[in-house]
Amino acid sequence: MTALYTWDVFSTLDGYGSYAEGADWGGYWSKQGPELLEHRAALFATGQRMVFGATTFRETAAIMSAGIDPHTLDEWNVRTMRMPATVISSTLRDTLGWPEAAIVSGDAVDIVTRLKQESDVPLRSPASLSLNRALMAAGLVDRLQVTIFPVISGRTGISPILAGAGDFDLELLESRTLDGHILELVYRPTAH
């Protein structure tokens, strides 16, 4: 049986995954509330293997190892750091303080195909945009989970989450509204 692979990504309404340096949005585009944080903590309460591309791993590890008091981090972030992680990178040599990270070099499609066959827990990949667009094109993404924050960042938005992706039909599997204004959509993508 193959492990379920979820690409888990945050986005603005206009499809950006982040914002330019100097933009004054704050984390979660300053829109998080208790429902979002409780839901995210619940998503990360069960065993999973995290799958990262190099850029997202560097960014996540920098935040997690910046000497921040773990009690000030959102619980889902703390739980993420405790999970085993596979980092697909040809440039990284160091796990950057991540306790259970393994860096694997090679073809991402081959690596994730093998992970899906061998893993006894689901696989979840936060952000890692170019990695996951390639994996989706190869038919390896079972779930596309997009959390849409109620902002438009047309002037300051960077990292369009689906830029350069192929054409896909999306079957809606789940949807929920969190804190009255954040929308989470879970789709099954199928190449068109």
Side-chain angles (χ1 to χ4, degrees):
M1 178 152 189
T2 63
L4 186 74
Y5 186 99
T6 300
W7 178 16
D8 181 358
V9 64
F10 289 175
S11 177
T12 61
L13 181 62
D14 52 345
Y16 291 101
S18 192
Y19 49 86
E21 190 174 326
D24 191 17
W25 285 106
Y28 308 100
W29 292 275
S30 299
K31 300 295 181 184
Q32 78 278 16
E35 277 187 308
L36 172 74
L37 299 178
E38 288 169 17
H39 175 66
R40 295 296 297 178
L43 286 173
F44 290 82
T46 59
Q48 299 174 70
R49 172 169 288 283
M50 305 305 294
V51 179
F52 291 96
T55 300
T56 299
F57 181 73
R58 280 187 197 101
E59 291 169 354
T60 304
I63 292 167
M64 302 300 184
S65 64
I68 298 171
D69 178 359
H71 296 96
T72 64
L73 291 172
D74 297 328
E75 182 61 26
W76 75 272
N77 287 317
V78 173
R79 291 177 180 177
T80 299
M81 184 73 168
R82 292 181 186 143
M83 292 187 181
T86 297
V87 184
I88 302 171
S89 173
S90 59
T91 59
L92 278 174
R93 302 288 177 254
D94 184 343
T95 60
L96 307 175
W98 196 284
E100 287 191 65
I103 298 169
V104 182
S105 182
D107 180 74
V109 169
D110 292 341
I111 292 166
V112 171
T113 297
R114 189 171 53 254
L115 278 174
K116 286 182 68 150
Q117 292 168 349
E118 296 172 357
S119 182
D120 57 353
V121 295
L123 307 170
R124 179 174 293 270
S125 184
S128 298
L129 303 179
S130 59
L131 168 67
N132 282 300
R133 288 188 297 252
L135 295 175
M136 202 160 72
L140 294 172
V141 174
D142 302 302
R143 301 288 184 270
L144 170 58
Q145 179 176 330
V146 182
T147 305
I148 301 173
F149 291 83
V151 299
I152 294 171
S153 58
R155 280 186 293 122
T156 60
I158 59 172
S159 303
I161 64 169
L162 297 171
D167 293 346
F168 290 87
D169 285 326
L170 299 174
E171 177 188 347
L172 182 63
L173 302 174
E174 297 176 41
S175 67
R176 68 179 41 86
T177 302
L178 301 160
D179 299 308
H181 59 254
I182 298 166
L183 187 58
E184 180 187 82
L185 303 166
V186 180
Y187 294 103
R188 177 183 297 125
T190 306
H192 182 72

